[in-house]
Amino acid sequence: MDHANDAAVEALLADIGSTHGELLAIVQQVRRIAATSGSGVTESVKYGGIMFSHTQFFCGVFAYRHHVTVEFGHGYRLEDRYLQLEGSGQYRRHIKLHSSGEVKSKHLADYIQQAYALATG
């Protein structure tokens, strides 16, 4: 594990916690799901958020003023069985989270596990 990345991740989390405390809990839930989606998951700070990767990036989490977004760079390849994916771009899709409860109600773990499987494919 790259400890320079750890420091950057911790700094970003501290920043989110100090400005948007209620969103920090959501970000931490997303991190736990990503970490347990499979083996060899690493995280790094990129584009102002935390990106999760195995051999390649498979998703990222970003805190905005009133919500958290989980971005999938190849979201167009995910099976949207719960109709939660947003975005009309060629590849990218995202799921917006406004509360901790939405992590479960929007079936986030399913989408992250799919993205991990595609990345390790």
Side-chain angles (χ1 to χ4, degrees), residues 31-60:
R31 290 179 70 218
R32 280 194 294 277
I33 293 169
T36 58
S37 59
S39 61
V41 175
T42 58
E43 49 182 23
S44 55
V45 173
K46 209 172 177 76
Y47 316 118
I50 299 171
M51 297 294 294
F52 304 99
S53 57
H54 180 263
T55 47
Q56 59 186 343
F57 291 122
F58 63 91
C59 72

PDB file of all heavy atoms in Angstrom, residues 31-60:
ATOM      1  N   ARG A  31     -16.206   3.915   0.825  1.00  0.00           N
ATOM      2  CA  ARG A  31     -14.845   3.366   0.921  1.00  0.00           C
ATOM      3  C   ARG A  31     -14.872   1.923   1.427  1.00  0.00           C
ATOM      4  O   ARG A  31     -14.146   1.075   0.929  1.00  0.00           O
ATOM      5  CB  ARG A  31     -13.986   4.212   1.861  1.00  0.00           C
ATOM      6  CG  ARG A  31     -13.638   5.579   1.298  1.00  0.00           C
ATOM      7  CD  ARG A  31     -12.809   6.381   2.289  1.00  0.00           C
ATOM      8  NE  ARG A  31     -11.471   5.812   2.430  1.00  0.00           N
ATOM      9  CZ  ARG A  31     -10.802   5.743   3.590  1.00  0.00           C
ATOM     10  NH1 ARG A  31     -11.340   6.173   4.715  1.00  0.00           N
ATOM     11  NH2 ARG A  31      -9.594   5.229   3.615  1.00  0.00           N
ATOM     12  N   ARG A  32     -15.725   1.654   2.437  1.00  0.00           N
ATOM     13  CA  ARG A  32     -15.818   0.286   2.975  1.00  0.00           C
ATOM     14  C   ARG A  32     -16.321  -0.682   1.914  1.00  0.00           C
ATOM     15  O   ARG A  32     -15.806  -1.786   1.771  1.00  0.00           O
ATOM     16  CB  ARG A  32     -16.734   0.247   4.207  1.00  0.00           C
ATOM     17  CG  ARG A  32     -16.034   0.717   5.484  1.00  0.00           C
ATOM     18  CD  ARG A  32     -16.843   0.352   6.727  1.00  0.00           C
ATOM     19  NE  ARG A  32     -18.121   1.060   6.799  1.00  0.00           N
ATOM     20  CZ  ARG A  32     -18.263   2.288   7.275  1.00  0.00           C
ATOM     21  NH1 ARG A  32     -17.217   2.970   7.720  1.00  0.00           N
ATOM     22  NH2 ARG A  32     -19.455   2.855   7.322  1.00  0.00           N
ATOM     23  N   ILE A  33     -17.333  -0.271   1.157  1.00  0.00           N
ATOM     24  CA  ILE A  33     -17.881  -1.139   0.106  1.00  0.00           C
ATOM     25  C   ILE A  33     -16.820  -1.404  -0.962  1.00  0.00           C
ATOM     26  O   ILE A  33     -16.627  -2.536  -1.390  1.00  0.00           O
ATOM     27  CB  ILE A  33     -19.140  -0.510  -0.526  1.00  0.00           C
ATOM     28  CG1 ILE A  33     -20.283  -0.468   0.497  1.00  0.00           C
ATOM     29  CG2 ILE A  33     -19.561  -1.294  -1.773  1.00  0.00           C
ATOM     30  CD1 ILE A  33     -21.471   0.360   0.055  1.00  0.00           C
ATOM     31  N   ALA A  34     -16.131  -0.351  -1.384  1.00  0.00           N
ATOM     32  CA  ALA A  34     -15.111  -0.513  -2.420  1.00  0.00           C
ATOM     33  C   ALA A  34     -13.994  -1.430  -1.936  1.00  0.00           C
ATOM     34  O   ALA A  34     -13.526  -2.302  -2.668  1.00  0.00           O
ATOM     35  CB  ALA A  34     -14.553   0.848  -2.834  1.00  0.00           C
ATOM     36  N   ALA A  35     -13.581  -1.245  -0.684  1.00  0.00           N
ATOM     37  CA  ALA A  35     -12.476  -2.039  -0.129  1.00  0.00           C
ATOM     38  C   ALA A  35     -12.832  -3.518  -0.042  1.00  0.00           C
ATOM     39  O   ALA A  35     -11.963  -4.374  -0.172  1.00  0.00           O
ATOM     40  CB  ALA A  35     -12.080  -1.513   1.246  1.00  0.00           C
ATOM     41  N   THR A  36     -14.118  -3.808   0.164  1.00  0.00           N
ATOM     42  CA  THR A  36     -14.533  -5.198   0.327  1.00  0.00           C
ATOM     43  C   THR A  36     -15.126  -5.783  -0.958  1.00  0.00           C
ATOM     44  O   THR A  36     -15.652  -6.889  -0.953  1.00  0.00           O
ATOM     45  CB  THR A  36     -15.555  -5.336   1.471  1.00  0.00           C
ATOM     46  OG1 THR A  36     -16.680  -4.497   1.194  1.00  0.00           O
ATOM     47  CG2 THR A  36     -14.940  -4.944   2.801  1.00  0.00           C
ATOM     48  N   SER A  37     -15.033  -5.047  -2.055  1.00  0.00           N
ATOM     49  CA  SER A  37     -15.609  -5.538  -3.312  1.00  0.00           C
ATOM     50  C   SER A  37     -14.737  -6.613  -3.943  1.00  0.00           C
ATOM     51  O   SER A  37     -15.170  -7.332  -4.836  1.00  0.00           O
ATOM     52  CB  SER A  37     -15.834  -4.389  -4.304  1.00  0.00           C
ATOM     53  OG  SER A  37     -14.609  -3.731  -4.584  1.00  0.00           O
ATOM     54  N   GLY A  38     -13.502  -6.718  -3.478  1.00  0.00           N
ATOM     55  CA  GLY A  38     -12.607  -7.742  -4.002  1.00  0.00           C
ATOM     56  C   GLY A  38     -11.221  -7.536  -3.423  1.00  0.00           C
ATOM     57  O   GLY A  38     -11.005  -6.611  -2.645  1.00  0.00           O
ATOM     58  N   SER A  39     -10.292  -8.381  -3.825  1.00  0.00           N
ATOM     59  CA  SER A  39      -8.936  -8.263  -3.272  1.00  0.00           C
ATOM     60  C   SER A  39      -8.115  -7.246  -4.064  1.00  0.00           C
ATOM     61  O   SER A  39      -8.418  -6.952  -5.222  1.00  0.00           O
ATOM     62  CB  SER A  39      -8.249  -9.629  -3.310  1.00  0.00           C
ATOM     63  OG  SER A  39      -8.157 -10.067  -4.647  1.00  0.00           O
ATOM     64  N   GLY A  40      -7.101  -6.715  -3.406  1.00  0.00           N
ATOM     65  CA  GLY A  40      -6.148  -5.848  -4.092  1.00  0.00           C
ATOM     66  C   GLY A  40      -6.668  -4.479  -4.461  1.00  0.00           C
ATOM     67  O   GLY A  40      -6.183  -3.851  -5.404  1.00  0.00           O
ATOM     68  N   VAL A  41      -7.678  -3.984  -3.737  1.00  0.00           N
ATOM     69  CA  VAL A  41      -8.216  -2.655  -4.038  1.00  0.00           C
ATOM     70  C   VAL A  41      -7.320  -1.586  -3.411  1.00  0.00           C
ATOM     71  O   VAL A  41      -6.981  -1.669  -2.233  1.00  0.00           O
ATOM     72  CB  VAL A  41      -9.661  -2.505  -3.512  1.00  0.00           C
ATOM     73  CG1 VAL A  41     -10.173  -1.084  -3.718  1.00  0.00           C
ATOM     74  CG2 VAL A  41     -10.581  -3.509  -4.190  1.00  0.00           C
ATOM     75  N   THR A  42      -6.937  -0.599  -4.204  1.00  0.00           N
ATOM     76  CA  THR A  42      -6.165   0.520  -3.679  1.00  0.00           C
ATOM     77  C   THR A  42      -6.966   1.803  -3.903  1.00  0.00           C
ATOM     78  O   THR A  42      -7.842   1.862  -4.773  1.00  0.00           O
ATOM     79  CB  THR A  42      -4.796   0.643  -4.368  1.00  0.00           C
ATOM     80  OG1 THR A  42      -5.000   0.804  -5.771  1.00  0.00           O
ATOM     81  CG2 THR A  42      -3.940  -0.589  -4.117  1.00  0.00           C
ATOM     82  N   GLU A  43      -6.654   2.819  -3.109  1.00  0.00           N
ATOM     83  CA  GLU A  43      -7.334   4.102  -3.285  1.00  0.00           C
ATOM     84  C   GLU A  43      -6.297   5.200  -3.413  1.00  0.00           C
ATOM     85  O   GLU A  43      -5.211   5.135  -2.845  1.00  0.00           O
ATOM     86  CB  GLU A  43      -8.328   4.371  -2.168  1.00  0.00           C
ATOM     87  CG  GLU A  43      -7.817   4.174  -0.768  1.00  0.00           C
ATOM     88  CD  GLU A  43      -8.898   4.431   0.293  1.00  0.00           C
ATOM     89  OE1 GLU A  43     -10.114   4.332  -0.006  1.00  0.00           O
ATOM     90  OE2 GLU A  43      -8.509   4.742   1.418  1.00  0.00           O
ATOM     91  N   SER A  44      -6.650   6.203  -4.177  1.00  0.00           N
ATOM     92  CA  SER A  44      -5.764   7.345  -4.374  1.00  0.00           C
ATOM     93  C   SER A  44      -6.615   8.586  -4.600  1.00  0.00           C
ATOM     94  O   SER A  44      -7.771   8.489  -5.010  1.00  0.00           O
ATOM     95  CB  SER A  44      -4.838   7.109  -5.572  1.00  0.00           C
ATOM     96  OG  SER A  44      -5.602   6.818  -6.729  1.00  0.00           O
ATOM     97  N   VAL A  45      -6.037   9.744  -4.300  1.00  0.00           N
ATOM     98  CA  VAL A  45      -6.748  10.995  -4.523  1.00  0.00           C
ATOM     99  C   VAL A  45      -6.476  11.463  -5.947  1.00  0.00           C
ATOM    100  O   VAL A  45      -5.325  11.569  -6.364  1.00  0.00           O
ATOM    101  CB  VAL A  45      -6.318  12.062  -3.494  1.00  0.00           C
ATOM    102  CG1 VAL A  45      -6.940  13.417  -3.825  1.00  0.00           C
ATOM    103  CG2 VAL A  45      -6.705  11.628  -2.091  1.00  0.00           C
ATOM    104  N   LYS A  46      -7.557  11.683  -6.681  1.00  0.00           N
ATOM    105  CA  LYS A  46      -7.446  12.121  -8.070  1.00  0.00           C
ATOM    106  C   LYS A  46      -8.712  12.890  -8.433  1.00  0.00           C
ATOM    107  O   LYS A  46      -9.797  12.530  -7.979  1.00  0.00           O
ATOM    108  CB  LYS A  46      -7.297  10.885  -8.971  1.00  0.00           C
ATOM    109  CG  LYS A  46      -6.519  11.101 -10.261  1.00  0.00           C
ATOM    110  CD  LYS A  46      -6.301   9.741 -10.924  1.00  0.00           C
ATOM    111  CE  LYS A  46      -5.598   9.883 -12.256  1.00  0.00           C
ATOM    112  NZ  LYS A  46      -4.172  10.159 -12.124  1.00  0.00           N
ATOM    113  N   TYR A  47      -8.559  13.937  -9.202  1.00  0.00           N
ATOM    114  CA  TYR A  47      -9.703  14.744  -9.657  1.00  0.00           C
ATOM    115  C   TYR A  47     -10.521  15.307  -8.487  1.00  0.00           C
ATOM    116  O   TYR A  47     -11.713  15.540  -8.619  1.00  0.00           O
ATOM    117  CB  TYR A  47     -10.635  13.942 -10.572  1.00  0.00           C
ATOM    118  CG  TYR A  47      -9.942  13.114 -11.619  1.00  0.00           C
ATOM    119  CD1 TYR A  47     -10.057  11.735 -11.631  1.00  0.00           C
ATOM    120  CD2 TYR A  47      -9.141  13.718 -12.605  1.00  0.00           C
ATOM    121  CE1 TYR A  47      -9.421  10.959 -12.593  1.00  0.00           C
ATOM    122  CE2 TYR A  47      -8.498  12.957 -13.572  1.00  0.00           C
ATOM    123  CZ  TYR A  47      -8.640  11.581 -13.562  1.00  0.00           C
ATOM    124  OH  TYR A  47      -8.009  10.819 -14.501  1.00  0.00           O
ATOM    125  N   GLY A  48      -9.895  15.459  -7.327  1.00  0.00           N
ATOM    126  CA  GLY A  48     -10.602  16.020  -6.180  1.00  0.00           C
ATOM    127  C   GLY A  48     -11.460  15.021  -5.422  1.00  0.00           C
ATOM    128  O   GLY A  48     -12.252  15.395  -4.564  1.00  0.00           O
ATOM    129  N   GLY A  49     -11.286  13.747  -5.728  1.00  0.00           N
ATOM    130  CA  GLY A  49     -12.037  12.706  -5.028  1.00  0.00           C
ATOM    131  C   GLY A  49     -11.131  11.535  -4.725  1.00  0.00           C
ATOM    132  O   GLY A  49      -9.913  11.615  -4.890  1.00  0.00           O
ATOM    133  N   ILE A  50     -11.725  10.453  -4.258  1.00  0.00           N
ATOM    134  CA  ILE A  50     -10.957   9.232  -3.981  1.00  0.00           C
ATOM    135  C   ILE A  50     -11.297   8.216  -5.067  1.00  0.00           C
ATOM    136  O   ILE A  50     -12.467   7.864  -5.257  1.00  0.00           O
ATOM    137  CB  ILE A  50     -11.299   8.658  -2.594  1.00  0.00           C
ATOM    138  CG1 ILE A  50     -10.959   9.684  -1.504  1.00  0.00           C
ATOM    139  CG2 ILE A  50     -10.537   7.345  -2.358  1.00  0.00           C
ATOM    140  CD1 ILE A  50     -11.448   9.298  -0.117  1.00  0.00           C
ATOM    141  N   MET A  51     -10.265   7.789  -5.778  1.00  0.00           N
ATOM    142  CA  MET A  51     -10.441   6.810  -6.852  1.00  0.00           C
ATOM    143  C   MET A  51     -10.035   5.433  -6.336  1.00  0.00           C
ATOM    144  O   MET A  51      -9.034   5.311  -5.622  1.00  0.00           O
ATOM    145  CB  MET A  51      -9.570   7.171  -8.054  1.00  0.00           C
ATOM    146  CG  MET A  51      -9.920   8.507  -8.690  1.00  0.00           C
ATOM    147  SD  MET A  51     -11.557   8.538  -9.464  1.00  0.00           S
ATOM    148  CE  MET A  51     -11.297   7.368 -10.805  1.00  0.00           C
ATOM    149  N   PHE A  52     -10.809   4.439  -6.704  1.00  0.00           N
ATOM    150  CA  PHE A  52     -10.537   3.056  -6.302  1.00  0.00           C
ATOM    151  C   PHE A  52     -10.065   2.280  -7.518  1.00  0.00           C
ATOM    152  O   PHE A  52     -10.646   2.393  -8.597  1.00  0.00           O
ATOM    153  CB  PHE A  52     -11.798   2.412  -5.719  1.00  0.00           C
ATOM    154  CG  PHE A  52     -12.370   3.201  -4.575  1.00  0.00           C
ATOM    155  CD1 PHE A  52     -13.427   4.065  -4.775  1.00  0.00           C
ATOM    156  CD2 PHE A  52     -11.811   3.111  -3.303  1.00  0.00           C
ATOM    157  CE1 PHE A  52     -13.934   4.827  -3.728  1.00  0.00           C
ATOM    158  CE2 PHE A  52     -12.316   3.858  -2.253  1.00  0.00           C
ATOM    159  CZ  PHE A  52     -13.373   4.720  -2.467  1.00  0.00           C
ATOM    160  N   SER A  53      -9.012   1.496  -7.333  1.00  0.00           N
ATOM    161  CA  SER A  53      -8.497   0.745  -8.461  1.00  0.00           C
ATOM    162  C   SER A  53      -8.058  -0.648  -8.037  1.00  0.00           C
ATOM    163  O   SER A  53      -7.820  -0.922  -6.859  1.00  0.00           O
ATOM    164  CB  SER A  53      -7.332   1.480  -9.133  1.00  0.00           C
ATOM    165  OG  SER A  53      -6.309   1.742  -8.203  1.00  0.00           O
ATOM    166  N   HIS A  54      -7.983  -1.516  -9.017  1.00  0.00           N
ATOM    167  CA  HIS A  54      -7.358  -2.821  -8.864  1.00  0.00           C
ATOM    168  C   HIS A  54      -6.200  -2.774  -9.848  1.00  0.00           C
ATOM    169  O   HIS A  54      -5.188  -2.152  -9.568  1.00  0.00           O
ATOM    170  CB  HIS A  54      -8.360  -3.951  -9.145  1.00  0.00           C
ATOM    171  CG  HIS A  54      -7.743  -5.313  -8.994  1.00  0.00           C
ATOM    172  ND1 HIS A  54      -7.273  -6.017 -10.073  1.00  0.00           N
ATOM    173  CD2 HIS A  54      -7.490  -6.065  -7.902  1.00  0.00           C
ATOM    174  CE1 HIS A  54      -6.759  -7.153  -9.646  1.00  0.00           C
ATOM    175  NE2 HIS A  54      -6.884  -7.222  -8.321  1.00  0.00           N
ATOM    176  N   THR A  55      -6.335  -3.350 -11.033  1.00  0.00           N
ATOM    177  CA  THR A  55      -5.315  -3.144 -12.054  1.00  0.00           C
ATOM    178  C   THR A  55      -5.603  -1.844 -12.802  1.00  0.00           C
ATOM    179  O   THR A  55      -4.741  -1.292 -13.468  1.00  0.00           O
ATOM    180  CB  THR A  55      -5.295  -4.324 -13.049  1.00  0.00           C
ATOM    181  OG1 THR A  55      -6.649  -4.589 -13.431  1.00  0.00           O
ATOM    182  CG2 THR A  55      -4.727  -5.577 -12.394  1.00  0.00           C
ATOM    183  N   GLN A  56      -6.843  -1.382 -12.688  1.00  0.00           N
ATOM    184  CA  GLN A  56      -7.237  -0.094 -13.278  1.00  0.00           C
ATOM    185  C   GLN A  56      -8.311   0.530 -12.393  1.00  0.00           C
ATOM    186  O   GLN A  56      -8.891  -0.146 -11.557  1.00  0.00           O
ATOM    187  CB  GLN A  56      -7.757  -0.300 -14.701  1.00  0.00           C
ATOM    188  CG  GLN A  56      -8.957  -1.247 -14.768  1.00  0.00           C
ATOM    189  CD  GLN A  56      -9.378  -1.559 -16.188  1.00  0.00           C
ATOM    190  OE1 GLN A  56      -9.009  -0.876 -17.122  1.00  0.00           O
ATOM    191  NE2 GLN A  56     -10.157  -2.616 -16.365  1.00  0.00           N
ATOM    192  N   PHE A  57      -8.574   1.821 -12.593  1.00  0.00           N
ATOM    193  CA  PHE A  57      -9.622   2.484 -11.818  1.00  0.00           C
ATOM    194  C   PHE A  57     -10.967   1.829 -12.126  1.00  0.00           C
ATOM    195  O   PHE A  57     -11.267   1.538 -13.276  1.00  0.00           O
ATOM    196  CB  PHE A  57      -9.712   3.967 -12.181  1.00  0.00           C
ATOM    197  CG  PHE A  57      -8.522   4.763 -11.726  1.00  0.00           C
ATOM    198  CD1 PHE A  57      -7.757   5.469 -12.636  1.00  0.00           C
ATOM    199  CD2 PHE A  57      -8.168   4.811 -10.387  1.00  0.00           C
ATOM    200  CE1 PHE A  57      -6.653   6.210 -12.220  1.00  0.00           C
ATOM    201  CE2 PHE A  57      -7.068   5.541  -9.954  1.00  0.00           C
ATOM    202  CZ  PHE A  57      -6.320   6.241 -10.882  1.00  0.00           C
ATOM    203  N   PHE A  58     -11.768   1.595 -11.085  1.00  0.00           N
ATOM    204  CA  PHE A  58     -13.110   1.061 -11.350  1.00  0.00           C
ATOM    205  C   PHE A  58     -14.225   1.966 -10.831  1.00  0.00           C
ATOM    206  O   PHE A  58     -15.342   1.891 -11.305  1.00  0.00           O
ATOM    207  CB  PHE A  58     -13.270  -0.390 -10.882  1.00  0.00           C
ATOM    208  CG  PHE A  58     -13.114  -0.626  -9.400  1.00  0.00           C
ATOM    209  CD1 PHE A  58     -14.208  -0.584  -8.551  1.00  0.00           C
ATOM    210  CD2 PHE A  58     -11.860  -0.914  -8.868  1.00  0.00           C
ATOM    211  CE1 PHE A  58     -14.064  -0.822  -7.198  1.00  0.00           C
ATOM    212  CE2 PHE A  58     -11.713  -1.163  -7.512  1.00  0.00           C
ATOM    213  CZ  PHE A  58     -12.816  -1.113  -6.671  1.00  0.00           C
ATOM    214  N   CYS A  59     -13.932   2.845  -9.871  1.00  0.00           N
ATOM    215  CA  CYS A  59     -14.918   3.854  -9.498  1.00  0.00           C
ATOM    216  C   CYS A  59     -14.248   4.902  -8.615  1.00  0.00           C
ATOM    217  O   CYS A  59     -13.107   4.734  -8.188  1.00  0.00           O
ATOM    218  CB  CYS A  59     -16.152   3.258  -8.817  1.00  0.00           C
ATOM    219  SG  CYS A  59     -15.923   2.648  -7.143  1.00  0.00           S
ATOM    220  N   GLY A  60     -14.970   5.968  -8.357  1.00  0.00           N
ATOM    221  CA  GLY A  60     -14.448   7.031  -7.514  1.00  0.00           C
ATOM    222  C   GLY A  60     -15.574   7.664  -6.725  1.00  0.00           C
ATOM    223  O   GLY A  60     -16.737   7.592  -7.133  1.00  0.00           O
TER     224      GLY A  60
END
